[in-house]
Amino acid sequence: MHPLITPEALADALSARPAAVVLDVRWRLGGPPGRQDYEVSHVPGAVYVDLDTELSAPPGVEGRHPLPDPERLQEVLRRAGVREGGQVVAYDAADGSVAARVWWLLRWAGFGEVAVLDGGFAAWQAAGLPVSAEVPAPEVGDVVVRAGQMPVLDADGAAGLAREGVLLDARAPQRYLGETEPVDPRAGHIPGALNAPSAGHVGADGRWLGAAELAERFAAIGVPGDAAGGEVAVGAYCGSGVTASSVVLALEVAGITSAQRPAALYAGSWSNWCALDREVATG
């Protein structure tokens, strides 16, 4: 399954039997809760899943959004109706970065048929497709979480990759440069990391750039184009491991990595790096 799906293709998938499971993961850093938007209107049949409490473990030294306990994740996905052999589509309200966390988590859990709605809920509405305020009660699914199917970095691994491969920082340039830090206790970036802001994956219309445009963007940042062949190791991080998931997705769309050789994710990201009091670079 391609990592991105258009609103029209999702509408077709919802009319198929069995229908795709749709997960609404709208979320804002600092709130208000995305569930409020979901209760007003959402893609018909979509199930709301909370990033903070259902797709992450409690915050701590491991970061602000540590990877969830596999049994807990399996419970959440089954309650949403996810079944073995089915399809899942996730959407958010912004540039797809939060939905990409779901895409990455399901791939990490060994579930391959998952995609992000290109353009999110705004694109669904712009296409004139129906919305609903009805909260569904899906039949409980039978998905089995087989954790560990995507490469994950810890702080040492991230530091090593920044020296010996390519480590991409998905945060805004001001945070990467150390000019400001609105969330974490220290400003700056992991020494040797390159800045690849997640907001740059989408165009002015909120839709993802095409493969060629993404490849050009990554080449300009300094990412070699042959990571899919195993010639260079690539990884990504952000503030807490959420928006970095969209870098992993974008690298795959660009053809720089592949489903067989995906980029690694530093799941703890900057929040974990700061908690461990690791070396910081600025500028």
Side-chain angles (χ1 to χ4, degrees):
M1 190 173 187
H2 191 275
L4 298 172
I5 187 171
T6 66
E8 294 77 13
L10 174 56
D12 290 341
L14 287 174
S15 63
R17 290 294 178 267
V21 172
V22 182
L23 303 180
D24 184 314
V25 290
R26 283 178 280 182
W27 175 86
R28 302 178 188 86
L29 183 63
R35 184 179 291 276
Q36 295 179 4
D37 295 333
Y38 170 81
E39 290 173 351
V40 173
S41 65
H42 51 261
V43 172
V47 177
Y48 184 78
V49 183
D50 186 75
L51 171 67
D52 292 321
T53 62
E54 296 182 304
L55 300 177
S56 308
V61 174
E62 295 301 315
R64 280 183 281 110
H65 291 107
L67 297 184
D69 174 78
E71 290 187 6
R72 167 64 171 158
L73 178 61
Q74 180 171 287
E75 174 189 328
V76 168
L77 295 176
R78 287 186 174 186
R79 189 170 64 248
V82 180
R83 303 190 66 82
E84 291 285 291
Q87 292 184 336
V88 174
V89 175
Y91 70 88
D92 57 31
D95 59 8
S97 292
V98 181
R101 164 74 172 220
V102 179
W103 171 85
W104 187 93
L105 273 178
L106 282 164
R107 291 272 297 270
W108 173 77
F111 188 95
E113 295 298 305
V114 56
V116 169
L117 178 59
D118 189 5
F121 188 58
W124 178 269
Q125 292 178 299
L129 293 165
V131 298
S132 174
E134 181 181 351
V135 177
E139 181 180 347
V140 175
D142 62 0
V143 66
V144 176
V145 168
R146 303 172 180 88
Q149 306 305 307
M150 290 284 275
V152 178
L153 299 170
D154 59 10
D156 288 340
L161 187 58
R163 293 191 303 267
E164 301 163 8
V166 177
L167 181 66
L168 300 174
D169 185 321
R171 298 173 300 159
Q174 296 84 354
R175 294 180 69 187
Y176 169 84
L177 294 170
E179 295 174 352
T180 183
E181 180 47 65
V183 185
D184 294 303
R186 303 176 69 191
H189 60 268
I190 295 173
L194 304 176
N195 193 207
S198 60
H201 300 152
V202 300
D205 60 355
R207 304 292 284 266
W208 282 66
L209 302 178
E213 292 175 288
L214 286 170
E216 288 180 9
R217 177 173 181 266
F218 283 120
I221 291 170
V223 183
D226 54 2
E231 298 299 320
V232 61
V234 181
Y237 77 98
C238 55
S240 65
V242 175
T243 59
S245 301
S246 71
V247 175
V248 177
L249 189 155
L251 287 164
E252 188 169 311
V253 172
I256 296 171
T257 61
S258 67
Q260 293 71 39
R261 291 183 179 273
L265 177 72
Y266 176 19
S269 283
W270 190 245
S271 54
N272 171 245
W273 188 268
C274 291
L276 298 176
D277 199 27
R278 301 289 294 246
E279 180 184 358
V280 170
T282 57

